[in-house]
Amino acid sequence: MFTLQITPSFSDTDMLGHINNTVIPVWCETARRPIFELFNPGLVADQWNLIVARIEMDFINQIDFKPVVEVKTAIERIGNSSFTVIQEIWQNELKVAIVRSVLVHFSYKANKAVHLPQDVRSKLVPLLQS
Amino acid sequence: MFTLQITPSFSDTDMLGHINNTVIPVWCETARRPIFELFNPGLVADQWNLIVARIEMDFINQIDFKPVVEVKTAIERIGNSSFTVIQEIWQNELKVAIVRSVLVHFSYKANKAVHLPQDVRSKLVPLLQS
Amino acid sequence: MFTLQITPSFSDTDMLGHINNTVIPVWCETARRPIFELFNPGLVADQWNLIVARIEMDFINQIDFKPVVEVKTAIERIGNSSFTVIQEIWQNELKVAIVRSVLVHFSYKANKAVHLPQDVRSKLVPLLQS
Amino acid sequence: MFTLQITPSFSDTDMLGHINNTVIPVWCETARRPIFELFNPGLVADQWNLIVARIEMDFINQIDFKPVVEVKTAIERIGNSSFTVIQEIWQNELKVAIVRSVLVHFSYKANKAVHLPQDVRSKLVPLLQS
């Protein structure tokens, strides 16, 4: 598991005074950067080999503007060509959201899913949620 | 069912050349406006009475920058205090994403779910997906 | 001059209850699409030939969530390789913001500004603000 | 002067492969948080007393996705009721953008500018760019 601290931006709030729900996928994408680097260390566009197939978000508590937020990222499932990232968002020691993202190892040239390479798989395994 | 046409913004694209997945919840929220108006005709902050509890997004096809996008919005389920909005995103007569959002009729003052009022429920029923 | 109507998204608001200032450049970029098409009719990434050098925004009135917004776009100045787009944002027949964007005709391969081609210049001239 | 480090999000990129210009005002707003706290230590909505009157952005170099970005924030000018924040964005020891934001000490109830209080002014002075 790895953790990213995020300072909410004022523009992340909405007129209800809390963080808008559409901000959560952005924070989670930012926090998935170390996983992107396992697949594409240079984070270079023409070698990108992941695509998002599905995202599930559960909003548990309202998120405030002021306190820093923590995104905890782990792997929940490893399949043949896809895997599921599980992310928890915490604020003030309260779990405020859970996000599951299904990422597919993908060839943008062939436009199809590709089996996970063994070397990347072996780096994902230690990240499996215990 | 109602439909909203959206012109993608250049900033909605990412370095893979397609629309970034984090844009989908924003488009869907924009397209839920007529539902917000059923609950709060003036769309006024201090009478807001909905909160998002869960969002599921399935990304079916990549979305391009150029063609206009259509968001089709209907109701999938009506519960006691919550209901599920189902939204399909179409581009070039291709379904590119399906989004389900669980919205809860909510009192921000009492900080709890509230039963759906009968008059609003009767306006949601005709929107149920056939 | 051309006009684009935009329906604010709920996520465009901030905790002051109005539209957040960071939304304005997004709306203006969306409204510049017809200008992008003068330079690159297919709106294709590998033929993109414009870059933004400067943006000035004057915020005149607060912008509300409910009413539709109009972005009026014209050309203020045409130089050798750059030009200035002027955009006014209106809501409820009130001018709420003025945005000036300096766009440069740019070669991403050579990484330098390029003179405006005569055929594009002749399409910009009719858009000059009177 | 104070400095904020920001890790670009994948959604901050656009189809040209760099960071989209509309992201800059968001980063700058995030980096102005310590200034917001001078005016409103609790960062509470109903005591908010600042409004943005004008933003000028000069884009000097393209911004990449991978390297961390630094936003350096200082005060350029202090007036009677307004002041100008100057922010430089740096990446890889290269200045990539300069942003000037005119903020007005503002009463949302009276809907008008209000003189800067002496105690806040005295906290802004040490932030004046040398």
Side-chain angles (χ1 to χ4, degrees), chain B residues 83-116:
Chain B
F83 59 102
T84 303
V85 179
I86 181 160
Q87 297 180 291
E88 293 182 358
I89 302 183
W90 289 72
Q91 188 181 51
N92 286 340
E93 304 184 33
L94 199 67
K95 195 193 295 185
V96 292
I98 302 178
V99 179
R100 286 177 172 83
S101 309
V102 178
L103 272 69
V104 180
H105 185 229
F106 189 77
S107 163
Y108 281 89
K109 279 181 192 156
N111 197 34
K112 64 171 191 178
V114 178
H115 273 230
L116 288 168

Side-chain angles (χ1 to χ4, degrees), chain D:
Chain D
M1 195 193 73
F2 44 88
T3 299
L4 178 71
Q5 288 210 338
I6 292 181
T7 300
S9 181
F10 194 76
S11 64
D12 293 337
T13 65
D14 65 26
M15 72 190 205
L16 300 176
H18 58 206
I19 299 298
N20 186 267
N21 68 81
T22 64
V23 175
I24 306 308
V26 178
W27 287 353
C28 288
E29 194 185 56
T30 309
R32 287 196 296 270
R33 177 188 273 245
I35 291 173
F36 298 158
E37 288 180 309
L38 292 183
F39 282 84
N40 180 356
L43 297 176
V44 180
D46 62 8
Q47 292 171 34
W48 208 267
N49 50 13
L50 287 173
I51 198 163
V52 180
R54 177 174 168 84
I55 292 179
E56 294 174 24
M57 301 188 279
D58 286 292
F59 305 102
I60 302 168
N61 280 289
Q62 296 184 57
I63 306 175
D64 292 327
F65 168 54
K66 193 173 181 191
V68 166
V69 156
E70 273 195 341
V71 185
K72 299 178 180 180
T73 299
I75 303 294
E76 191 178 54
R77 180 193 63 87
I78 305 177
N80 287 325
S81 57
S82 75
F83 59 102
T84 303
V85 180
I86 181 159
Q87 297 178 291
E88 293 182 357
I89 301 181
W90 289 74
Q91 188 180 52
N92 287 339
E93 304 183 34
L94 199 66
K95 196 194 295 186
V96 292
I98 301 178
V99 178
R100 285 176 174 83
S101 308
V102 179
L103 272 69
V104 180
H105 185 228
F106 189 78
S107 162
Y108 282 89
K109 279 183 190 152
N111 197 35
K112 65 171 190 179
V114 178
H115 273 231
L116 287 168
Q118 194 53 46
D119 64 323
V120 173
R121 178 185 296 270
S122 67
K123 289 173 188 159
L124 292 175
V125 168
L127 296 171
L128 273 167
Q129 201 182 34
S130 58

